[in-house]
Amino acid sequence: MTARVFLNGQWLPAEQARVSVMDRGFLFGDGVYEVIPVYSRQPFRLEQHLVRLQHSLDGIQLANPHRLQEWVAYVTQLAGEAEWEDQSIYIQVTRGPMAVRNHAFPREIRPTVVMLAEQMSPPPASQREQGIGAVSAADIRWLRCDLKTTSLLANCLLRQLAVSAGCVETVLFRDGFLTEGSASSIFVVKHGVLLAPIKNHLMLPGITYDVVLELAAQHGLPHEVRDITEAETRDADELWMCSSTKEVLPIVTLDGRAVGSGVGACPPAKRNPGQTESGTPGPGFAKMHAWYQEFKATVMRAPS
Ligand code: PDD
């Protein structure tokens, strides 16, 4: 369920918000977006999300239709009005409508701006406690995965691979290296060290990824940001996925095989769909989950 939506400067009931079928976002996926988590009506890391939005807009050569302060005001208004305390705010900016279908940009650009809030709930306890299953796939996306574009067909196909296998996420490899998940950042833990892939054009610079690395640094968890091979990922002691809406979750099976040394065993009756072998969340995840929850309670819910 959504509250009122913002469309090109107007606040409208969702069912009255209409966009042209000639919109380039609809016909070409020519647009960018952001998903901003809101805790107790406080948008979390709003400025960082808006900086990433600017990076995405620059990457597709689309002028930002609003100044930073205008975005802050709109998001704050939406977060204050929506009926839920915890929300995810979705922002989308497309290159707008065109008179005739033409790949080249129109001479006159009237971007379409949409903003809406949805209720946000933490992932179910079963996913945190028993962990989730993941599958892996070749990263078939383009070479600008650092841009948060609305052209998400490859991500959708990749996520569906996981869902069809009864799993939650698809872990992506490109040329033998870990990139990220279909809609999340992925971390590896090996011998007590947290490993994170280097942010580059092949992955989205995740805001939650930054939080996880900050918490690791703050609590003295050894960590390295470097290229991670597929072999290292498959041989991980622990695998985690994270995103603004899913927080941090432990991946306990990859392609049906238990992640790590199978510390403890997950009995068949307690396994989530897709968990074909035993596998349980590791000790690193338990710590990170606790730190994340503490951070959420103290920092994310506090007015900035
Ligand atoms: N997606 N990588 C990809 C491809 C993503 O789509 C996302 C998040 C992330 C994590 O980024 P962040 O921590 O900033 O949410 C990484 C959002 C939630 C979505 O598309 O709905």
Side-chain angles (χ1 to χ4, degrees), residues 33 35 52 148 155 180 182-185 204 206-208 243-244:
Y33 75 106
V35 177
R52 190 171 65 182
K148 205 163 169 64
N155 301 66
E180 57 181 341
S182 68
S184 64
S185 310
L204 187 79
I207 308 286
T208 322
S243 76
S244 291

Side-chain angles (χ1 to χ4, degrees), residues 36-304:
I36 303 163
V38 173
Y39 296 97
S40 304
R41 300 194 183 277
Q42 307 297 328
F44 176 64
R45 301 236 159 143
L46 178 53
E47 196 171 331
Q48 287 89 332
H49 280 277
L50 293 174
V51 165
R52 190 171 65 182
L53 177 68
Q54 184 66 58
H55 173 75
S56 300
L57 287 166
D58 291 344
I60 69 160
Q61 300 166 49
L62 180 57
N64 195 330
H66 295 296
R67 289 194 307 273
L68 184 77
Q69 281 321 309
E70 290 172 336
W71 283 117
V72 171
Y74 291 140
V75 171
T76 309
Q77 180 173 350
L78 189 53
E81 273 188 5
E83 59 186 288
W84 318 281
E85 292 290 307
D86 289 358
Q87 312 153 20
S88 71
I89 287 191
Y90 179 80
I91 298 180
Q92 174 172 319
V93 184
T94 78
R95 210 178 308 272
M98 52 196 163
V100 290
R101 185 176 171 278
N102 183 350
H103 289 60
F105 302 167
R107 210 179 293 273
E108 193 202 335
I109 291 172
R110 287 178 290 122
T112 302
V113 179
V114 172
M115 229 185 302
L116 53 89
E118 290 182 327
Q119 184 171 24
M120 188 175 69
S121 312
S126 63
Q127 294 193 343
R128 285 192 327 261
E129 287 161 11
Q130 286 131 53
I132 57 165
V135 295
S136 69
D139 195 339
I140 55 169
R141 300 172 303 162
W142 70 334
L143 298 175
R144 290 306 307 273
C145 296
D146 56 315
L147 307 178
K148 205 163 169 64
T149 70
T150 57
S151 319
L152 285 173
L153 181 56
N155 301 66
C156 294
L157 293 172
L158 290 164
R159 171 57 69 87
Q160 192 57 35
L161 287 178
V163 173
S164 299
C167 291
V168 172
E169 184 54 303
T170 303
V171 175
L172 306 178
F173 298 113
R174 196 192 285 260
D175 299 329
F177 290 94
L178 170 68
T179 54
E180 57 181 341
S182 68
S184 64
S185 310
I186 304 287
F187 289 94
V188 164
V189 179
K190 189 69 189 175
H191 302 313
V193 180
L194 177 64
L195 305 177
I198 301 167
K199 283 186 199 169
N200 58 21
H201 61 292
L202 301 178
M203 68 175 266
L204 187 79
I207 308 286
T208 322
Y209 164 108
D210 288 342
V211 172
V212 167
L213 286 180
E214 283 168 30
L215 289 173
Q218 204 177 311
H219 293 276
L221 178 68
H223 54 282
E224 285 173 26
V225 178
R226 64 164 172 82
D227 289 332
I228 302 167
T229 65
E230 178 171 343
E232 284 180 299
T233 310
R234 295 193 183 280
D235 192 38
D237 293 335
E238 296 183 36
L239 278 181
W240 308 342
M241 66 171 275
C242 76
S243 76
S244 291
T245 48
K246 295 224 184 284
E247 304 185 350
V248 190
L249 285 173
I251 297 173
V252 295
T253 60
L254 183 61
D255 297 329
R257 293 188 51 216
V259 172
S261 47
V263 213
C266 184
K270 290 195 123 190
R271 290 177 201 165
N272 280 318
Q275 254 183 277
T276 45
E277 269 191 16
S278 63
T280 49
F285 172 75
K287 282 191 226 162
M288 182 53 70
H289 175 67
W291 299 334
Y292 197 90
Q293 294 311 310
E294 187 200 356
F295 183 74
K296 195 165 122 182
T298 54
V299 178
M300 292 170 160
R301 291 188 185 282
S304 47

